[in-house]
Amino acid sequence: MWPEGVNPKTVLYGTGAVGGAVAAAAGIYSYMYPYAFRDRHQVRLELAIIEKFTNIIMSGGTVLSQFAEAVRRHPDKPFLLFGTEAHTYGEVDAMANRVANFFHGMGFQKGDTVALLIYNEPAFIWTFLGLARVGVKMALLNTNLRGQALMHCFRVAGATGLIVGQGQPLLDATLELMPELQAEGATIWLQGSAHPPAGLSAWDGPVQRESDQPLTVQVTITPADTLCYIYTSGTTGLPKAAIIPHTKFIIGGNSLLLIQGFTSEDVLYVTLPLYHSSGLMLGIGTTISKGATVALRRKFSAHHFWEDCRHYNATVIIYIGELLRYLCTLPERPDDKDHKVRLAFGNGLRPDIWKQFQDRFGIPRIGEFYAMTEGNVGLTNISNKVGAVGVYSPMYRKYRPSSVIECDIDTGEPIRGKDGWCKEVKIGQPGLLVGPTDPAVPYIGYLGKPELTQRKILRDVFREGDAYFSTGDLMVFDKEYFIYFVDRVGDTFRWKGENVATTEVAQVLSKMEGVQEVNVYGVKVPGQDGRAGMASIIPLPGQQPDFRRWYRYITEKLPTYAQPLFLRLTQEIQVTGTFKHQKAALVKEGFDPRRVADPLFVIDNGRKTYVPLDDTVYRRIVVGHARL
Ligand SMILES: *[C@@H]1O[C@H](CO)[C@@H](O)[C@H](O)[C@H]1NC(C)=O
Ligand SMILES: *[C@@H]1O[C@H](CO)[C@@H](O)[C@H](O)[C@H]1NC(C)=O
């Protein structure tokens, strides 16, 4: 994380004693500012955590050394729980050694890249740790991706091997791409099968036969080395690979410790996918850094959630907002509070669900945070304030700088004043969250062309020569200086916890038969988080849309979260002054047939087609009776 030659301690703390400075500042502030105590508490906690992970990084710590430390402390303690399986730290260590010996024996070396397409299960973890020991970088593929999007992710990482986990859908996705994968010269292993189909190599037998002792060669892994790639949809184009060095994993894996009281006795229940930052770094990273226990489930299931928590005696869960919303839609049961979960940690929890979730399931603490896989801005509400993601007071920002600036609410474009500089927003006014890209909080960016990284940097924001990373998120702060997430702006929207790039979906839809032009955007659905995909389509003149065919094409080419749920057939698409598709008006009109004169259609997964969306269907969706 730190560029060479930069001492993070100096940068983060300056030269003075921070604790004293914070206390003094709080003393002065408290005369005119009643929240000084809260802010001092927050700053102190955060600086303590920063100091902790800085020390780990400065002394050469990596995920491997943190794991080795946990193994040394308690080899016989359960590390992974999965169904009826329990694997101790020692056992996972031995399995990771087998994986490391296997790859080393195959000639893989530090700097090579292998892609993983594995659901949440124990094999994910020991494969991950084993490859890390050889210094092989891992491309963590999203298990929902199919076809060209999946192939793209494999290709941009420069991977020479692919490890496919258990589960028929993953095998199907791989078989579909066999010719292309083979053209890339990739070796493909299939876990959990003694007799894989032609073109794939068996994994379990050969790996089991390896020694469970550490590698006999010395591989030097430093904190700055790349551990893995995590894919984000970014704002334009296909998924981008964000580079995750060991440092970032250490930081992610230690930040949950902000919520004090997390101990090695805790059992963390993780249903968020391990190919995303939250599942991997908060889930696995935190467990490893504390030597705790993690219970895994292949995929999130609302119906099995509490049953699992009881079964595993889970004490901590990590979430994205949508997940808790699904849990709240379950029919109430007398045993709703019958579990040991005392802390939920995650992001995207909206105020309407926060209280409901907390009261109904009796969760004492909720820790909401805001961070981006590829970004450099982090906020955490460690104070249980309903809905807030953190604090944004002048005092806090002295230590943890970020700014919310005036922008066009639809496009996210910063609005500059007459003098050419950006302006910070006032209380209650939504704006774009940006973070300075100074060397203390560097922005590592994406693999590939530098433009991918540069596009997210704003320059000359408050003064000549400065540079800020744009989060693409709208935030608002209140008079107590609590800060809240409002919405995403620009060319992406969030649905089912995934970022969807509208241009990418539009690209796919524009190749559909009978389509002349298409404009993709996200629309609000009452009672649901994020925005559902909608496409406004101009059909080719003289052609009737074949909705069954469109449905088949869309579901084949796009992962579920990116499929447009609503279609709007239209005759013209408005463009902006710079010939971009106009979206704001369409977003506002949404899928309400009373406001839209064009014919509207909604996806029908039962009948595998799109069906007309009239008043009755609309009402069923709005009251939550129609499943989306
Ligand atoms: C959960 O706790 C109960 C009671 O302490 C215990 O009997 C059970 O074995 C625990 N479950 C697991 C999976 O450890
Ligand atoms: C967020 O802030 C509120 C208000 O101070 C506090 O009660 C709550 O515990 C905070 N959440 C966390 C995780 O600190």
Side-chain angles (χ1 to χ4, degrees):
M1 164 141 195
W2 319 108
E4 263 177 62
V6 173
N7 178 343
K9 279 201 136 158
T10 320
V11 178
L12 289 168
Y13 312 134
T15 45
V18 167
V22 175
I28 297 160
Y29 273 110
S30 56
Y31 284 109
M32 39 199 182
Y33 172 61
Y35 307 106
F37 187 77
R38 170 200 72 186
D39 292 358
R40 179 172 64 174
H41 177 67
Q42 174 108 16
V43 171
R44 273 196 165 160
L45 264 178
E46 288 191 23
L47 291 183
I49 294 292
I50 291 172
E51 172 146 28
K52 177 168 191 270
F53 63 62
T54 305
N55 284 338
I56 297 172
I57 292 165
M58 296 297 282
S59 58
T62 62
V63 59
L64 297 174
S65 63
Q66 292 228 298
F67 181 66
E69 172 62 22
V71 174
R72 196 189 53 73
R73 274 206 311 268
H74 39 53
D76 299 324
K77 176 175 177 171
F79 171 31
L80 305 175
L81 306 178
F82 182 68
T84 54
E85 300 171 28
H87 304 273
T88 65
Y89 271 89
E91 286 163 358
V92 175
D93 183 46
M95 277 308 294
N97 279 337
R98 290 194 165 99
V99 173
N101 283 312
F102 177 70
F103 276 94
H104 178 68
M106 300 278 300
F108 280 82
Q109 287 180 351
K110 183 172 171 184
D112 290 338
T113 304
V114 166
L116 270 58
L117 183 66
I118 310 178
Y119 288 124
N120 285 15
E121 57 166 309
F124 186 111
I125 310 294
W126 56 65
T127 305
F128 184 88
L129 291 168
L131 284 164
R133 283 177 179 174
V134 187
V136 171
K137 299 176 280 189
M138 288 159 275
L140 306 182
L141 302 177
N142 183 326
T143 51
N144 289 308
L145 288 185
R146 295 293 176 265
Q148 285 317 302
L150 183 57
M151 195 60 215
H152 166 85
C153 291
F154 181 83
R155 219 175 257 138
V156 293
T160 53
L162 170 65
I163 304 169
V164 181
Q166 300 191 57
Q168 190 63 34
L170 300 183
L171 177 57
D172 291 344
T174 308
L175 292 176
E176 189 194 330
L177 293 173
M178 277 310 273
E180 283 164 273
L181 287 165
Q182 281 171 334
E184 298 280 320
T187 313
I188 309 166
W189 291 275
L190 182 63
Q191 298 185 325
S193 162
H195 305 285
L200 282 76
S201 310
W203 166 275
D204 299 52
V207 169
Q208 261 322 321
R209 283 192 288 278
E210 292 288 340
S211 156
D212 65 359
Q213 295 303 301
L215 280 175
T216 48
V217 294
Q218 180 83 21
V219 183
T220 309
I221 311 281
T222 71
D225 286 332
T226 299
L227 171 64
C228 59
Y229 301 119
I230 289 183
Y231 293 84
T232 60
S233 53
T235 48
T236 50
L238 288 158
K240 293 197 278 261
I243 301 167
I244 310 293
H246 282 266
T247 44
K248 198 135 192 175
F249 192 94
I250 296 284
I251 293 169
N254 284 278
S255 49
L256 203 155
L257 310 178
L258 256 182
I259 310 294
Q260 292 159 306
F262 186 88
T263 75
S264 66
E265 295 311 307
D266 274 307
V267 178
L268 195 58
Y269 178 52
V270 176
T271 57
L272 299 182
L274 297 179
Y275 55 75
H276 272 178
S277 308
S278 295
L280 185 72
M281 297 196 240
L282 287 180
I284 305 304
T286 307
T287 306
I288 290 177
S289 66
K290 267 290 173 187
T293 301
V294 64
L296 294 174
R297 183 179 184 89
R298 202 157 272 170
K299 271 184 155 181
F300 167 73
S301 154
H303 285 283
H304 293 97
F305 195 90
W306 295 112
E307 187 184 305
D308 277 357
C309 285
R310 283 188 280 272
H311 170 72
Y312 296 121
N313 297 321
T315 54
V316 180
I317 58 174
I318 56 174
Y319 67 81
I320 51 170
E322 289 84 347
L323 191 149
L324 302 191
R325 191 178 288 271
Y326 293 139
L327 295 177
C328 286
T329 61
L330 294 173
E332 291 204 19
R333 291 166 48 133
D335 62 355
D336 273 347
K337 290 192 174 72
D338 176 18
H339 58 75
K340 302 194 174 101
V341 177
R342 61 180 173 78
L343 167 66
F345 195 79
N347 62 48
L349 184 56
R350 297 290 162 265
D352 60 329
I353 289 298
W354 188 305
K355 279 301 283 176
Q356 195 186 336
F357 177 76
Q358 194 159 26
D359 294 346
R360 169 165 168 195
F361 296 103
I363 308 293
R365 288 199 77 183
I366 293 184
E368 169 78 7
F369 76 93
Y370 170 89
M372 299 183 74
T373 302
E374 75 281 40
N376 63 352
V377 181
L379 295 166
T380 312
N381 164 30
I382 55 167
S383 52
N384 244 349
K385 171 75 174 183
V386 170
V389 294
V391 295
Y392 181 78
S393 65
M395 180 184 159
Y396 175 76
R397 289 167 61 208
K398 244 175 80 149
Y399 295 93
R400 310 275 285 139
S402 67
S403 294
V404 181
I405 59 173
E406 288 186 2
C407 72
D408 178 317
I409 302 293
D410 291 322
T411 62
E413 279 299 310
I415 297 174
R416 290 177 184 267
K418 287 205 184 70
D419 54 6
W421 308 127
C422 296
K423 279 202 301 282
E424 300 205 336
V425 295
K426 299 185 192 62
I427 289 170
Q429 178 192 4
L432 182 69
L433 178 68
V434 299
T437 62
D438 77 54
V441 272
Y443 166 52
I444 301 162
Y446 307 106
L447 187 64
K449 301 194 196 85
E451 300 94 270
L452 290 179
T453 302
Q454 288 309 316
R455 207 178 290 152
K456 289 207 164 187
I457 306 287
L458 296 176
R459 297 194 182 280
D460 302 331
V461 175
F462 298 117
R463 59 185 61 85
E464 204 166 325
D466 67 5
Y468 282 74
F469 172 81
S470 165
T471 60
D473 286 324
L474 287 182
M475 296 276 182
V476 66
F477 68 93
D478 65 13
K479 59 183 194 314
E480 295 174 51
Y481 288 111
F482 277 116
I483 185 168
Y484 303 81
F485 173 84
V486 179
D487 204 351
R488 295 231 83 183
V489 287
D491 291 332
T492 53
F493 60 87
R494 264 177 94 75
W495 183 243
K496 311 271 182 200
E498 302 273 357
N499 289 325
V500 180
T502 55
T503 43
E504 180 190 329
V505 177
Q507 243 176 41
V508 173
L509 297 192
S510 62
K511 299 202 187 100
M512 214 156 56
E513 213 175 292
V515 170
Q516 178 176 314
E517 202 171 345
V518 58
N519 184 6
V520 175
Y521 46 96
V523 294
K524 286 253 181 242
V525 180
Q528 304 255 11
D529 280 322
R531 290 169 183 275
M534 179 157 185
S536 190
I537 295 179
I538 307 183
L540 276 177
Q543 290 211 15
Q544 280 302 320
D546 181 341
F547 286 109
R548 279 185 183 279
R549 250 187 131 126
W550 279 8
Y551 177 89
R552 215 176 318 132
Y553 177 88
I554 286 169
T555 50
E556 252 172 44
K557 299 283 179 197
L558 292 169
T560 353
Y561 56 82
Q563 294 165 6
L565 300 190
F566 307 109
L567 302 181
R568 169 175 179 165
L569 296 187
T570 184
Q571 291 313 314
E572 61 173 343
I573 286 176
Q574 305 284 343
V575 292
T576 65
T578 51
F579 300 103
K580 283 184 159 175
H581 282 158
Q582 188 86 255
K583 296 184 200 277
L586 293 170
V587 166
K588 222 170 248 154
E589 289 169 6
F591 60 101
D592 182 349
R594 288 166 309 182
R595 303 181 65 179
V596 179
D598 294 328
L600 294 172
F601 300 84
V602 58
I603 200 164
D604 185 334
N605 287 311
R607 284 189 273 167
K608 300 195 181 307
T609 184
Y610 283 85
V611 297
L613 197 166
D614 56 19
D615 271 350
T616 325
V617 178
Y618 177 76
R619 267 196 302 273
R620 277 172 51 81
I621 295 170
V622 170
V623 298
H625 286 165
R627 254 189 84 106
L628 288 178

